[in-house]
Amino acid sequence: MKKKQPIISLLCLSSFLVGCSKSLGRVEAIETLDGIVLKVQEKSFKAPETYSASYQVIDLVSFTERKVSLDIANTAKNRYIHSKSVSKTYESDPKSGDKVPYMVSTIDSFFYLDPLASEKTFISYTSVLEENVSSNASSSKKAEPSASFIEVKGDDASSLFEEAVEKEGDNVFVSSISSIPSSIDAFLKGLSYKPNVYVKSSLYQTTGEGNLELYIVTNENGQETSMSASFDDFLVKQYEKVWANGSETMSFNWNSVKYIYPDLSKATSMPRSSVNSNFEN
């Protein structure tokens, strides 16, 4: 009799090179998260020097929405930061389906060492745009951004970039490497002690140490909350939480960055003394 060959699932085939995904229970998922939390809190653990990230929060109580994106590289070859923040404030509930007027504020900032300059050159650039958007698109007027830049050449260029990294780069994204797994870990552990919260559905799976994908929907006093997250090589890749009055979403692309540069010819040159105010924008 011919011996039957083992059947490899489609899930295993899709991740064959890195190992098959394994389904976990909540206790096993917590154990995996514990390992991630301990790893990223080690003193020897260092965040990647290059990454792209985005963050969005929607508040349906205050009718506000904010989205932030960041591209950063701090290596010997490339020193670059690009951050963009877009904030919207609606005059009424945007979920109603009606077109509602809103205020939108966009701040676009760059801090980098010019890769084309013959002498070491630091550039700090900020563009600010404030718009009132009408519910009637035909009556809305397109505003022009206000842009300015500062150029510093010589020995101070590198130190000014490091100051920008401290104020712009070491922010919510870097802290999320530790805070997101820690908060999810605490949440899952706390479910056993909250009789008024029940788990409607959940899914946990892993391909090995430092890797975890999870999705959970809970109901507390009739209010549903969903949460999803993924971790790879101990680093958070995606996180989303949705509740009755809003949502929060974060995504990360570690060891990757998009390089774009501002058009300085359309910006006002400012004196070096203004550099600290550019950091604060």
Side-chain angles (χ1 to χ4, degrees):
M1 183 175 178
K2 189 176 180 180
K3 187 177 180 180
K4 291 183 179 180
Q5 296 296 320
I7 297 174
I8 301 177
S9 68
L10 291 177
L11 183 59
C12 290
L13 285 172
S14 66
S15 55
F16 183 77
L17 294 177
V18 295
C20 298
S21 294
K22 175 186 176 184
S23 295
L24 304 175
R26 190 196 306 171
V27 173
E28 293 174 305
I30 290 173
E31 291 174 350
T32 303
L33 272 172
D34 285 341
I36 292 173
V37 171
L38 289 174
K39 182 69 174 180
V40 299
Q41 289 181 347
E42 290 179 355
K43 291 183 178 180
S44 59
F45 185 86
K46 293 184 179 180
E49 295 178 315
T50 300
Y51 64 89
S52 297
S54 65
Y55 170 77
Q56 183 176 39
V57 59
I58 297 174
D59 188 334
L60 299 178
V61 175
S62 61
F63 302 154
T64 59
E65 177 181 339
R66 184 168 183 256
K67 186 172 183 179
V68 178
S69 63
L70 177 71
D71 285 273
I72 181 169
N74 189 14
T75 67
K77 183 179 179 180
N78 294 301
R79 295 190 172 185
Y80 172 91
I81 301 173
H82 175 208
S83 65
K84 187 174 183 178
S85 171
V86 180
S87 300
K88 293 182 180 181
T89 303
Y90 295 88
E91 290 186 10
S92 58
D93 187 356
K95 290 186 69 178
S96 64
D98 298 328
K99 292 183 178 179
V100 296
Y102 62 90
M103 168 78 76
V104 57
S105 175
T106 303
I107 301 176
D108 205 7
S109 300
F110 293 82
F111 307 94
Y112 60 93
L113 295 188
D114 190 344
L116 301 179
S118 56
E119 181 182 5
K120 190 170 290 186
T121 303
F122 169 76
I123 300 292
S124 170
Y125 169 98
T126 301
S127 170
V128 179
L129 177 61
E130 303 282 350
E131 295 177 280
N132 284 306
V133 181
S134 170
S135 56
N136 183 353
S138 62
S139 65
S140 298
K141 293 182 179 179
K142 182 66 176 179
E144 292 296 326
S146 173
S148 61
F149 75 96
I150 299 162
E151 182 181 66
V152 178
K153 295 183 178 182
D155 296 336
D156 291 339
S158 294
S159 60
L160 286 172
F161 179 82
E162 292 304 325
E163 287 182 34
V165 170
E166 291 179 6
K167 296 180 180 180
E168 298 287 332
D170 189 12
N171 55 15
V172 63
F173 296 111
V174 172
S175 63
S176 294
I177 293 175
S178 175
S179 65
I180 288 179
S182 296
S183 64
I184 298 175
D185 195 34
F187 173 76
L188 294 180
K189 289 176 179 176
L191 289 175
S192 300
Y193 308 99
K194 296 181 179 179
N196 59 328
V197 179
Y198 75 89
V199 178
K200 185 176 180 180
S201 62
S202 63
L203 175 67
Y204 313 98
Q205 60 183 25
T206 182
T207 59
E209 186 183 17
N211 176 276
L212 179 66
E213 292 187 13
L214 66 90
Y215 174 75
I216 183 170
V217 180
T218 57
N219 187 299
E220 181 175 7
N221 300 322
Q223 297 290 330
E224 282 193 2
T225 299
S226 67
M227 181 188 299
S228 66
S230 62
F231 302 86
D232 189 34
D233 196 20
F234 300 97
L235 291 168
V236 58
K237 292 179 62 180
Q238 176 270 335
Y239 170 78
E240 182 178 54
K241 183 178 180 181
V242 181
W243 60 97
N245 294 322
S247 64
E248 181 182 26
T249 306
M250 301 186 79
S251 63
F252 304 82
N253 193 356
W254 302 105
N255 298 306
S256 177
V257 64
K258 298 176 183 177
Y259 294 101
I260 60 173
Y261 293 91
D263 185 351
L264 301 183
S265 67
K266 296 182 179 180
T268 301
S269 177
M270 303 292 287
R272 176 180 171 170
S273 57
S274 305
V275 71
N276 288 330
S277 63
N278 272 33
F279 287 157
E280 295 168 0
N281 283 329

